[in-house]
Every structure is written in structure tokens, then in C-alpha cells.
Amino acid sequence: MGRGFALAMLECRLRVHHDGNVQSGCATGIGYIAVGDLFLTDIRAYREKQLENSGLQPIFPAWGMPTRELARSMIKSGVRAKLTCIDSKLLAPKFVGREFNEQLLSDLPPEIDPCGENGEFPFVYAGPMFRHELPVEVGEIVSRDHFVFADLTLAQNKVNPD
């Protein structure tokens, strides 16, 4: 699995300020920050602007990847995720909380990006990039404006003590 696969699943709300976090990252030799954006040029420009003069250079390892192929590759590699936020103007609320799998991909309308670039945001809880699966279950579902959110909670009986 390429390093961009996991990044593509994470919706990174990047707000870099010139504070101690950026300074300490740069002081320890960190020079780059990987972002999982795929094709939204306005979002890419925003992230690049936010990182200007921060000492960190953004890299976009998944940029331009065909998202249907990418989604299938992620599932095949063992990535497990749940949709935690959907834009109800684009996708029916019944999709929130669903498992990111082949069945979900089959059920998505053709105009919906399978990697969530247009308003449906998955939360990755397991995969080959994690040491242990994060045992989650869907909790409360809340609608706010035209977004529908599924809270995830730790499954109490399945928490790995490591």
C-alpha cells in the first residue's frame, strides 16, 4: 500500500499558525507535511497559503490519483473506515455511519467521489498503517445545517490495552 492511501482517507482540516507546534516541528528537522487532497485545486491552494513562511513544505502524495481505483485499493489493502460526515445536499443521510467497503462503493451514486472529496468524510480506524485497530461503533447521529454527522465511540469491550 502506498503512503498516499491512508492520507487520502483522512480529511485534514489544516490550520497552521505560527505557534510553538510549527516552530518545534521545524526545530526537530521536520520540513514537510503530507496532505491527502486528491483533486480540489482551491483546497490545495488554501493549504499551500496556510503553510507559506511556516518552514513546512506541503506534499500531496495522492494528488491526481483516480479515486475509484484508489478507494478499491484502500479496501483491498485492509483499510477500514466509517463515513462520519456527509453533505446531505450531495448524498442521502442514510449513508452516514456506514462502513467504507465494496458495498458502499456500489451503493454510492455515480456523481459522488468514493474518496470523499466532495463532502463525505470517512474516519479510518484500522489498516496496515496502524499497529492496532481502534474499536469504534456508531453513536449519536446529528444533523446540522445540511451536514449529517455520526459520532463514533470506543467499543468498550474491545479496547486493546497495548
Side-chain angles (χ1 to χ4, degrees):
M1 178 171 123
R3 63 185 174 158
F5 292 159
L7 294 171
M9 292 296 297
L10 300 174
E11 203 304 272
C12 175
R13 289 187 175 94
L14 178 62
R15 291 184 184 97
V16 175
H17 301 283
H18 299 285
D19 62 10
N21 292 333
V22 172
Q23 299 303 324
S24 65
C26 295
T28 60
I30 296 172
Y32 301 90
I33 185 165
V35 183
D37 297 310
L38 295 163
F39 58 78
L40 298 175
T41 55
D42 56 332
I43 301 297
R44 181 178 176 148
Y46 167 78
R47 297 193 201 294
E48 290 170 334
K49 177 136 181 66
Q50 290 299 105
L51 287 167
E52 244 174 44
N53 303 314
S54 71
L56 295 172
Q57 179 179 342
I59 57 172
F60 299 85
W63 188 258
M65 290 180 147
T67 57
R68 185 120 340 238
E69 286 176 35
L70 178 58
R72 287 205 161 86
S73 295
M74 290 186 296
I75 292 165
K76 186 177 178 181
S77 75
V79 167
R80 303 220 23 229
K82 292 190 182 291
L83 291 187
T84 57
C85 175
I86 61 105
D87 182 340
S88 65
K89 289 181 179 178
L90 302 172
L91 189 62
K94 68 181 181 182
F95 281 91
V96 76
R98 284 195 49 187
E99 185 73 18
F100 182 80
N101 55 25
E102 285 291 340
Q103 184 62 56
L104 175 75
L105 296 183
S106 294
D107 293 345
L108 286 175
E111 66 275 8
I112 298 297
D113 180 71
C115 289
E117 282 288 272
N118 291 312
E120 49 296 332
F121 305 110
F123 175 83
V124 177
Y125 64 90
M129 68 295 229
F130 295 147
R131 186 173 183 191
H132 299 287
E133 177 177 326
L134 182 62
V136 296
E137 55 193 18
V138 176
E140 183 179 9
I141 295 179
V142 177
S143 294
R144 197 168 33 247
D145 297 322
H146 58 90
F147 290 96
V148 182
F149 303 89
D151 287 342
L152 296 182
T153 60
L154 283 176
Q156 295 302 319
N157 297 330
K158 299 180 182 178
V159 175
N160 188 330
D162 290 331

